Amino acid sequence: MDKNTQVMEWYRGLDRISKDDKADFDVMLLDHKNPTDATSAMLGIALNLSEKGMRYDVMSLLFDATHKDNEPLVRQQAIAHILTLCWISDDFVRQNRDLQESLLDMIADNIDDCLGHLHFVYLMHGKNILKAHVKPLQETLIYRLIVVGDHAHELFKKV
């Protein structure tokens, strides 16, 4: 098993985020020469949340990865994971005030990226690449927060 797979599996299997797990993740986010450790960890986090259910403590790691001082690749992947998870787990998002606040901060800092990623995920769902049985995107909170204005709504008309 290579290092990236080990990192991914570690975060995939976590039940609780310890201070050491958080510190290790923060170090990975600051490694601009080797962002693959951070992207592997984020994949593990996304799998953890989709397999074990949504938990804000785990999701908050993905929000940490969206800060502007991180590598663009890391930021973009974190945004994509967050938006996909928020679509799939809309009921959890609507009930968790901390997650909503983090989501609003992320959207405010990355509105164009969020709109682009959400549109891409929407297109993939329309082509059955995303196989999750989820409610229509237009009925989710994430859609209402990101898709604002005529131009944005036009992107999400029939695919």
Side-chain angles (χ1 to χ4, degrees):
M1 185 180 306
D2 67 2
K3 181 182 178 192
N4 293 330
T5 303
Q6 288 176 333
V7 169
M8 186 268 303
E9 289 296 338
W10 177 263
Y11 283 89
R12 183 182 190 178
L14 289 178
D15 290 320
R16 292 185 201 167
I17 303 298
S18 71
K19 289 180 183 178
D20 288 340
D21 296 325
K22 171 96 170 87
D24 289 346
F25 186 69
D26 289 343
V27 168
M28 286 184 243
L29 292 177
L30 296 174
D31 187 354
H32 293 282
K33 291 182 181 177
N34 183 20
T36 56
D37 285 348
T39 60
S40 295
M42 288 188 302
L43 176 58
I45 292 165
L47 289 169
N48 182 315
L49 293 166
S50 64
E51 292 170 354
K52 296 181 177 195
M54 292 288 284
R55 296 178 322 279
Y56 180 72
D57 64 326
V58 178
M59 184 77 154
S60 68
L61 295 175
L62 291 177
F63 283 112
D64 291 345
T66 66
H67 295 291
K68 294 287 184 189
D69 53 342
N70 296 330
E71 238 357 79
L73 169 71
V74 170
R75 240 184 7 259
Q76 297 299 318
Q77 184 177 345
I79 291 168
H81 285 311
I82 290 168
L83 297 178
T84 303
L85 289 164
C86 285
W87 180 2
I88 292 169
S89 303
D90 183 61
D91 293 336
F92 179 82
V93 174
R94 289 175 184 268
Q95 296 169 5
N96 191 297
R97 186 70 64 199
D98 291 334
L99 191 146
Q100 291 171 20
E101 289 177 17
S102 295
L103 193 56
L104 288 170
D105 289 342
M106 182 197 73
I107 292 168
D109 292 341
N110 303 283
I111 187 61
D112 291 333
D113 292 332
C114 287
L115 182 61
H117 283 296
L118 191 63
H119 185 243
F120 178 76
V121 171
Y122 177 71
L123 291 174
M124 294 303 97
H125 184 264
K127 297 188 182 314
N128 289 324
I129 292 171
L130 229 173
K131 300 250 188 232
H133 297 285
V134 295
K135 66 173 77 172
L137 179 63
Q138 290 84 346
E139 295 176 14
T140 64
L141 182 60
I142 194 76
Y143 179 87
R144 294 174 194 266
L145 294 174
I146 294 174
V147 183
V148 179
D150 293 339
H151 172 70
H153 283 283
E154 198 63 33
L155 290 173
F156 292 88
K157 294 217 170 165
K158 292 184 181 177
V159 176

